[in-house]
Amino acid sequence: MPLGKQFDLEKVVGKIIKYVKWVIIALLVVTLILVMAQAVNSYISYDLVPKVVILVSVALCCVALIILECISMYLVKVFKMKMAFFAFECLIMVILGILTGNVLGVVLFCIVLTECYMTIEKQVDKFICFICACALYIVSYVVGWVIVNAGTPTSDSVLSILSGCLYGLLAMLVDYVVVDFLMYMYNKNVELRRALREAEESKAELRTAYAKLAETSVYEERNRIARDIHDNAGHSITAVIMQTEAAKVNIDTDPEQARRSIIAANVQAKHALEQMRASVHLLAGRTDDLALKTEIEQIIMETEDGTDVKIRFALDNIEVSDAVYRYVSNTVKECLANGLRHGGATAFYIEMKREGSGLRLLISDNGSGIPDGTIQEGYGLRGIRERASELGGKCTFTTDEDDGFETDILLPLSAAAPAESAAPPAVPVISAADTPAAPAAAETLDAIYDTSRETDTDGTHSARR
C-alpha cells in the first residue's frame, strides 16, 4: 500500500475515534437525563425537602460525571491519571445507583467502561475493570432498589432485583466482548499499517541501495573494460610495434627473421583488434553469444589465415562464466602470439576439456623453448598466471631448450558464480607433471609437423614472454 494511502487511512481512523468519543458523550448525556427523569418520578410522592435534596444530589452527580468523563477522554493522557478518573466516575455511578435504584445505571457503567476499554492495553487489566464494575453495579443497584422500593413484597423484590442484576451483568458482558473485539481489530490494523509503512520504507531504501549498486556495478564494469583495453590491447599493439621495428631492422640482413616478425605482428594486430571490438561491444551493451569452443576456433582460423602456422586442437564444448570465457580466449591469443614472437613456433596444439569439476586448457608449441628451462615471466605470462589464481585455478609453464613451450591451466568451473573482483576459493589442481596428456602433446608436435619446425639463423630467442 502506498504511503500516501496509509496516511489517508490514519486520518480516517482518527476521525472515527473522534466521532466515537462524541457518541459516548452524547449517550452519557441522554442517559443521565433519563436517570434524572426517573429520579423525579420515583421521589414525586416524597416531602418537598427530602425530594429537593435527593434530586439536587442526583443532578450534581450527573453533571460531575459528564465533566469527569470529558476531562478523562480529551485532556488526560497519562494512564494512571485515567484510572484515577475512572475510580471517581465509578464512585459517582454507585451514588447514582443508590439514589435512583433503576437499571439505567448499567448503561452508565457500559458507557464509562467503553472509554476505559479503549484506553487499557493489557487484557488482564480490562478484565479486572470489568469484574470490579460488575460488583459495584450489583451493590449499587440492590441497595438503591431496596431504598426506593421500600415496602414492596419480598417475592416481588427478590424477582425484580435478580432480573435487574442479570440484565445489567448481561449488558456489561456484551459491552465488554464487543468493545474488546473492536479494539483487538483496531490494534491489529494499527500493527498492520505500521508493518506496511516499515515495509514501504525498507522497499524504498532497498530501491535506493539497488540503484546505487547498479551504478557502482556500471562504473566497475567500465573500469574493467578500460583496464582490459589498456592491458590486453595495449600490450598487443606494443608488441606489433616492436615486431614491425624488428622486421625493418632485419629485412635486409635476415629476411626470414623479418618475415617471422611480420607474421607475428599480423597475428598480434588481429588479436588486438578483436579485443578492442569485444570491449566496445561490452560498452555498448552488446554481448556475443558465441560458445567458448567456437571463439577459440575463430582465433585459430584467424591465426592460420595468411601464415604458415599449423594448429591442431581438441576442444570440448564447455559452458563457462563470462570471466572464464574472457580469460581463456585472451590466454589462447597471448600464447599463440608468444609462440610466434619469442619461440619462432610454426606448430601449436590446443586442448580444452572438462577434468572433474574443472576446465583444463593446454597450449603447446614447437618453438625453440628457453635455455635451461628458466622462465623469466614478462607481462604476458605473469598476467596469465595471476588471473588464473584470481579465478581459483592454477597455471604452470613448462619449457626446455629446443623443445617448445607449454602452458597448462586448470580452472574450477565454479568460477562462474562470483563476481570478477572476487577470487573464489581455490580448488585442488593438477600440475603439468601429474597430467599424462600434457607432455605427450608437446612430444608429438614435432612428429606431427616434422617439416614445419624452424629456428632462428643465429639460434637465439628471447627468454621473456
Side-chain angles (χ1 to χ4, degrees):
M1 181 184 296
L3 288 175
K5 293 186 177 180
Q6 289 187 19
F7 295 145
D8 293 342
L9 183 58
E10 289 182 357
K11 291 180 181 179
V12 172
V13 172
K15 289 183 179 180
I16 292 175
I17 293 177
K18 181 173 67 175
Y19 293 149
V20 169
K21 291 181 178 180
W22 288 353
V23 170
I24 290 175
I25 296 297
L27 289 176
L28 182 62
V29 172
V30 172
T31 303
L32 290 175
I33 292 174
L34 293 177
V35 169
M36 189 68 190
Q38 280 200 355
V40 172
N41 184 60
S42 298
Y43 293 103
I44 194 170
S45 58
Y46 278 50
D47 294 336
L48 180 61
V49 175
K51 179 168 63 176
V52 171
V53 172
I54 293 174
L55 292 178
V56 170
S57 300
V58 172
L60 290 175
C61 288
C62 292
V63 173
L65 186 60
I66 292 175
I67 293 174
L68 289 175
E69 184 66 13
C70 290
I71 293 175
S72 174
M73 187 174 295
Y74 291 104
L75 299 179
V76 179
K77 303 299 181 182
V78 181
F79 176 74
K80 291 184 178 180
M81 289 293 295
K82 280 185 174 289
M83 292 299 99
F85 273 83
F86 174 66
F88 282 115
E89 290 171 355
C90 287
L91 178 62
I92 293 174
M93 289 186 292
V94 169
I95 295 173
L96 284 174
I98 293 174
L99 292 176
T100 58
N102 58 67
V103 295
L104 282 177
V106 73
V107 180
L108 296 177
F109 273 99
C110 289
I111 293 173
V112 173
L113 283 172
T114 297
E115 197 271 334
C116 184
Y117 295 152
M118 293 172 61
T119 303
I120 299 175
E121 294 182 357
K122 294 183 178 180
Q123 192 66 34
V124 176
D125 295 339
K126 291 182 182 180
F127 186 73
I128 292 174
C129 290
F130 168 72
I131 296 298
C132 293
C134 289
L136 291 175
Y137 165 74
I138 290 174
V139 171
S140 63
Y141 175 74
V142 171
V143 175
W145 198 94
V146 171
I147 293 174
V148 174
N149 299 284
T152 305
T154 303
S155 58
D156 293 341
S157 298
V158 172
L159 184 62
S160 296
I161 290 174
L162 288 177
S163 61
C165 289
L166 290 176
Y167 168 76
L169 293 176
L170 180 62
M172 294 175 71
L173 178 62
V174 171
D175 177 70
Y176 172 77
V177 172
V178 172
V179 175
D180 184 66
F181 174 76
L182 292 177
M183 290 306 300
Y184 173 80
M185 297 300 295
Y186 169 76
N187 291 331
K188 287 297 181 183
N189 181 265
V190 170
E191 293 178 2
L192 179 60
R193 285 187 286 112
R194 184 181 297 113
L196 287 174
R197 183 187 299 112
E198 292 175 354
E200 285 292 333
E201 292 174 353
S202 299
K203 184 178 178 181
E205 293 175 358
L206 286 174
R207 191 179 292 115
T208 302
Y210 178 79
K212 292 181 178 178
L213 179 61
E215 184 178 359
T216 303
S217 299
V218 169
Y219 287 144
E220 289 179 351
E221 181 66 9
R222 287 178 178 176
N223 289 335
R224 185 195 63 76
I225 295 171
R227 187 174 63 250
D228 284 350
I229 294 175
H230 177 270
D231 293 347
N232 298 325
H235 172 65
S236 298
I237 293 173
T238 301
V240 169
I241 295 173
M242 293 175 61
Q243 291 297 322
T244 53
E245 289 293 332
K248 287 196 302 182
V249 172
N250 296 323
I251 194 167
D252 294 326
T253 59
D254 192 350
E256 188 60 29
Q257 177 60 29
R259 173 178 167 278
R260 283 197 296 268
S261 296
I262 293 173
I263 292 174
N266 179 266
V267 172
Q268 200 78 38
K270 290 180 179 179
H271 293 169
L273 179 61
E274 183 61 30
Q275 288 165 355
M276 286 192 292
R277 182 183 292 116
S279 298
V280 171
H281 285 180
L282 285 175
L283 285 172
R286 302 194 305 271
T287 57
D288 296 329
D289 295 328
L290 291 178
L292 179 57
K293 176 183 177 182
T294 306
E295 172 69 12
I296 296 175
E297 289 174 348
Q298 286 192 356
I299 295 172
I300 293 172
M301 291 175 59
E302 291 173 358
T303 303
E304 290 181 326
D305 186 26
T307 69
D308 295 333
V309 176
K310 304 296 183 181
I311 303 176
R312 289 195 61 193
F313 56 89
L315 307 175
D316 290 347
N317 194 7
I318 304 174
E319 185 175 349
V320 298
S321 67
D322 291 341
V324 174
Y325 184 100
R326 287 191 294 270
Y327 171 72
V328 171
S329 59
N330 288 338
T331 298
V332 171
K333 296 173 185 176
E334 182 70 21
C335 289
L336 290 176
N338 278 343
L340 291 170
R341 186 168 69 248
H342 300 303
T346 57
F348 291 86
Y349 176 75
I350 301 175
E351 181 180 63
M352 183 181 70
K353 63 180 181 179
R354 183 185 295 272
E355 187 168 298
S357 60
L359 176 149
R360 179 171 290 281
L361 176 66
L362 178 69
I363 305 173
S364 298
D365 64 52
N366 67 341
S368 61
I370 299 176
D372 302 325
T374 302
I375 301 174
Q376 298 179 16
E377 292 184 1
Y379 177 87
L381 295 185
R382 184 172 64 252
I384 292 174
R385 179 178 52 77
E386 291 177 352
R387 190 68 181 115
S389 179
E390 290 176 4
L391 293 172
K394 185 177 182 181
C395 173
T396 58
F397 303 113
T398 306
T399 183
D400 284 310
E401 187 174 3
D402 297 328
D403 198 25
F405 194 91
E406 181 178 270
T407 301
D408 186 14
I409 299 171
L410 181 62
L411 298 174
L413 291 178
S414 58
E420 276 211 10
S421 59
V427 300
V429 298
I430 303 174
S431 66
D434 299 327
T435 309
E443 292 171 2
T444 56
L445 278 172
D446 287 331
I448 295 171
Y449 301 112
D450 54 349
T451 60
S452 60
R453 179 71 175 264
E454 294 182 11
T455 59
D456 287 343
T457 57
D458 58 358
T460 60
H461 290 85
S462 172
R464 298 183 63 86
R465 292 178 175 233

